[in-house]
Amino acid sequence: SNIGELMPLILGTNSIKDTGYEVANSVRLNQGDHAHFSKTPSTSNGTTFTYSFWVKRARVDVNSFMLRMVASDNSEVDLLFEPSGNIRIQEYEGVSGTNKWKYVTNRLFRDPSAWYHVMYVVDTNNGTASDRVQLYINGVRETSFSTATNPSSGATSALSKGEARGIGGQVGGSSNSFDGYMAEVVYVDGTAKSTTDFGEFDDSGIWKPIDVSDMSLGSNGWYLDFEDSSSLGNDASGSNNWTSNNLTSIDQTTDTCTNNFATMNPLANQGTVTFSDGNLSTNQSNNSANVQGTIFVNSGKWYWECKSTDANTNLAFGIMRDDTRYTQSDIYQVVGTIMWYKGNGQLFDNIPTSTGGISSAYGNTWGDGDIVSCAMDLDNGYLYFAKNGTYQNSGVPTSGATGTGGISIPTGEFFTAVLGNGSGSTSASSSMNFGSPPFSISSGNADGEGFGNFEYAVPSGYFALCTKNLAEYG
């Protein structure tokens, strides 16, 4: 299939326009680490409340809990993405073994490149049964459900109990944690809020967040803005703080619902690829395992980095054109790619050819722990690779039309990042940094707009692959 033309099943929020409010940080939750937040609060209102989440999914093939509680009487509270991509809301009564309410959307939400706003509103005292539980996605109410069990009047959620609950996963559990990014997580105790309390549509009709810092949240409400990297569970509205579990300061990111960064794409890969760290870390099982990025560009100058995280010499790092087809198992043979090969430093330039596998001497080899960079100049038509900050083939990314040491690439065509396992049957692991790194940075360099956190200096005039830069330079 033409992997470059794969589209998500349903679009989330990808607008590059501003509405005036900027979200500074999100938290990156890795399911494999069972990363989540936990809290045992005082009893709170069980008939009327509002939850608001901004989320960007990573793994889309697993149960992924935004909200999860299992009480001592086996009652459950669930708000999650199911493996099929549906959203499920469920309030299960443990004693009777029945559902107080349950809803499963018909729509699928499987776009790993976009942010979604998920708003869950409960008012079981509402006189209309079908309005007692409401779900909004990107400012629009969901009304089509494969399952829709309405609560009885005055029904009480198990959240009213003073027992442990989790954001991003189950307290004491070990599976089904949320995998991806969360921002602007809010709980309003005792009030059924309107969507306009949390967001607004921009002039393109895209739902965007608004400032909620002055919102009245009720006695047990809270607001997680993830702006304190040393205390990610801090309640920005008061003292209802949460405990972070299996999270560190590196899990604070600048990939947010107002500035969306590129990642690798689990819906656009060949072979067996394992994803982690918000789709930035990958393990390609063998020579047929390749994966591409989420953002294609056809103009501007762009920069990103990749850290090799094992000793395997088969990793290949480069770019892919949008019309590329995986006609070969080895990525360095695929027409429409340019790949720099880790084990021998060779360049495989298959952009202008009709058959794959055209190689030439190019640069140094690289190994475990090395950071390689790509500087892609689509205005002048040149590509540059660097190892630990040194550009190969005496490349000068700022040389413009001269293209000193650059690899010629066509202008006006769309390209994205790509990783592959060059040859053999051994797996290859690495972590990409498009500006929101999943690994520690020892120096710290932003682009000319102040976006991104890179190990090495971003060449003048080059920018991180994020939506704010796309609006200006893409």
Side-chain angles (χ1 to χ4, degrees), residues 2-5 262-265 268 291-304 317-326 331 334-339 348-353 374-385 407-419 432 434 463-466 470 473-474:
N2 187 342
I3 301 297
E5 293 180 354
T263 67
M264 304 309 283
N265 191 346
V291 60
Q292 66 188 55
T294 55
I295 294 180
F296 282 84
V297 283
N298 71 340
S299 63
K301 300 176 182 179
W302 308 98
Y303 177 85
W304 62 89
F317 170 70
I319 65 170
M320 169 183 284
R321 196 167 54 195
D322 68 332
D323 64 349
T324 297
R325 297 176 181 273
Y326 286 130
I331 189 64
V334 174
V335 175
T337 63
I338 296 178
M339 306 301 300
F348 290 82
D349 184 350
N350 299 313
I351 293 294
T353 61
C374 179
M376 183 171 64
D377 181 354
L378 291 172
D379 294 334
N380 294 292
Y382 290 101
L383 181 69
Y384 305 86
F385 291 120
I407 304 157
S408 180
I409 56 176
T411 58
E413 298 187 11
F414 283 90
F415 289 93
T416 192
V418 67
L419 287 171
M432 295 289 282
F434 292 102
F463 300 96
L465 274 170
C466 61
L470 290 175
Y473 303 105

Side-chain angles (χ1 to χ4, degrees), residues 12-14 26-29 53-60 64 66 81 109-118 178-183 253-257 259-264 266 278-280 294-295 434 436 465-467:
T13 296
N14 262 328
S26 69
V27 65
R28 183 169 47 225
L29 303 175
F53 296 80
W54 281 90
V55 297
K56 178 180 174 180
R57 302 194 66 193
R59 288 194 64 184
V60 295
S64 199
M66 290 170 276
F81 293 96
F109 303 91
R110 301 187 64 232
D111 184 351
S113 70
W115 282 86
Y116 295 102
H117 182 223
V118 180
F178 185 82
D179 198 86
Y181 304 78
M182 285 189 179
T253 90
T254 56
D255 187 339
T256 74
C257 44
N259 194 17
N260 188 1
F261 280 76
T263 67
M264 304 309 283
N279 290 341
L280 293 172
T294 55
I295 294 180
F434 292 102
S436 187
L465 274 170
C466 61
T467 51

